Amino acid sequence: MEQDRWDDQDRRRPPTGRVVAISVAALLVIAACSVLGVWQWQRGHVVVTEPPAQQPITDISEVVDGGASGDLAVLAADEVGRPVEVRGSYDPDLTLLAPGRPLDGALGSWVIGIVVLEDGSGVPVVRGWLPDGAEVPATPTGQVDLEGVVQPPEASDIAPSNQVLPAGQTWVVSAADLVNRVDYPVANAYVTLDTPEAGLQAVPPDDPGQATRRLDWGNLAYAAQWWVFALFAVVIWFRAVRDERIVTGQDDPGEPQENGPANGAGGRDMSGAR
Amino acid sequence: MSGTSDVQGLRSEPKVRAALTRYRVMAWLTGIGLVVLVCIGMPQKYLDLFGGGDTVVGTVGVAHGWLYVVLLITTFDLGNRVRWSWKRMILTALAGTIPFLSFYAEHKNTQAVRSQLARQ
């Protein structure tokens, strides 16, 4: 019935050709937008894995805090392996060696210090690896600004032996051990330095940490936007077909104020959005 | 053609004015976002200017995408109320994707709607 009325109105100039052209163009645009949306949707669902080592460097106090009793008291699982910056000064009275540590096939020791932060708490730092028999470099004095990788404290069961060590040595890098040697709180983690002092070699982090997995929300948002554009194309398409059939070519896009419906008898209600 | 005011049927002028305001706000927000994106964000990300990185693209770019979606809705709403042709709606929507042209389109559209309202 609707169709009949349109046919009646369109007697002067059947707009079939234009309507077909508009429809083809509209369908192409709708298809393109939909496909782009699907493409972004798939891109958004590719799970991105981010090894902790690739995360931006952060201050050690953001990760673990020896003076804290809450969340920052212990290292969270997803923070292990993150690059950190440690600013403070070495405790001049504490230098420990952890013997029995291999590096590149040779046996040596880790040189351990504690950097005291501004808030008075200490961060255990593995300054580097020292070959057996070499002399321990002097502890750097004054303010230091170090970069390294944060590691969880070592458990006592990794000690290669339970033999009692001479003073100034320890089997494991652990706050539980270190708090007995100093009179300030010590973070329950340690940092292994990227670039040790001269005479020491860098100790690669034992635990690279867990890669975090996430969806890419940026791409999912683009997908939604492409589908909105497709929807807009649908709406305009319906609108265009209706206009073409009703107005029969008397529509002038440049001057909308003169857009009276040519044969307004149809009661062209444009106020309702479609 | 029958009587102008009746045919144009802009019976609810306040609603048209409100729709025009909504459209203009979105046109300006989207236009500014696009200019910032193209003039600052893209050089920052691809030419390593302004310190490099993708902070602007990451923030303004994401916001601009959604602002443009809202602009499409307000464009269709206004166009419907003042009986724009579908071609004008498309041109207005496309103009919103071209830096600076969006401001010109906003200006012309506002002029057109205002003269349409004044003629009633």
Side-chain angles (χ1 to χ4, degrees), chain A residues 124-274:
Chain A
V125 169
V126 172
R127 287 164 53 196
W129 180 86
L130 184 75
D132 274 348
E135 197 170 324
V136 181
T139 307
T141 53
Q143 276 288 316
V144 289
D145 191 344
L146 306 166
E147 290 182 5
V149 176
V150 67
Q151 294 286 285
E154 292 184 318
S156 56
D157 59 5
I158 74 148
S161 149
N162 55 9
Q163 172 194 339
V164 176
L165 288 168
Q169 294 194 14
T170 181
W171 287 119
V172 293
V173 190
S174 160
D177 169 52
L178 291 168
V179 287
N180 300 320
R181 300 170 188 266
V182 295
D183 54 3
Y184 45 83
V186 173
N188 197 18
Y190 72 92
V191 173
T192 179
L193 297 188
D194 295 337
T195 47
E197 307 131 41
L200 298 176
Q201 287 182 49
V203 173
D206 270 342
D207 187 347
Q210 295 168 345
T212 49
R213 298 162 79 80
R214 62 179 177 83
L215 297 177
D216 192 330
W217 291 102
N219 289 114
L220 295 180
Y222 287 144
Q225 286 163 13
W226 278 117
W227 290 329
V228 171
F229 299 156
L231 196 66
F232 186 74
V234 171
V235 168
I236 293 288
W237 175 34
F238 278 133
R239 183 57 190 276
V241 169
R242 190 176 62 172
D243 285 6
E244 287 298 325
R245 304 209 67 160
I246 293 174
V247 179
T248 62
Q250 294 187 20
D251 198 7
D252 181 359
E255 302 289 331
Q257 58 270 35
E258 291 175 12
N259 277 354
N263 33 24
R268 185 170 168 238
D269 181 12
M270 310 283 265
S271 59
R274 296 189 58 168

Side-chain angles (χ1 to χ4, degrees), chain A residues 21-200:
Chain A
I22 289 168
S23 301
V24 169
L27 286 171
L28 283 176
V29 170
I30 292 161
C33 289
S34 307
V35 167
L36 285 166
V38 169
W39 170 60
Q40 289 287 355
W41 179 258
Q42 287 167 345
R43 280 188 62 182
H45 276 83
V46 170
V47 173
V48 182
T49 52
E50 286 179 327
Q54 279 172 24
Q55 289 184 34
I57 191 161
T58 172
D59 197 87
I60 184 69
S61 59
E62 308 267 323
V63 178
V64 68
D65 181 355
S69 56
D71 289 342
L72 286 170
V74 290
L75 200 61
D78 62 352
E79 286 163 343
V80 172
R82 288 189 64 167
V84 288
E85 182 173 17
V86 184
R87 274 171 298 189
S89 53
Y90 276 108
D91 181 344
D93 300 328
L94 187 126
T95 301
L96 285 170
L97 291 182
R101 305 280 177 158
L103 184 73
D104 297 335
L107 215 57
S109 305
W110 287 7
V111 180
I112 299 158
I114 294 183
V115 172
V116 180
L117 307 183
E118 219 170 49
D119 66 1
S121 68
V123 175
V125 169
V126 172
R127 287 164 53 196
W129 180 86
L130 184 75
D132 274 348
E135 197 170 324
V136 181
T139 307
T141 53
Q143 276 288 316
V144 289
D145 191 344
L146 306 166
E147 290 182 5
V149 176
V150 67
Q151 294 286 285
E154 292 184 318
S156 56
D157 59 5
I158 74 148
S161 149
N162 55 9
Q163 172 194 339
V164 176
L165 288 168
Q169 294 194 14
T170 181
W171 287 119
V172 293
V173 190
S174 160
D177 169 52
L178 291 168
V179 287
N180 300 320
R181 300 170 188 266
V182 295
D183 54 3
Y184 45 83
V186 173
N188 197 18
Y190 72 92
V191 173
T192 179
L193 297 188
D194 295 337
T195 47
E197 307 131 41
L200 298 176

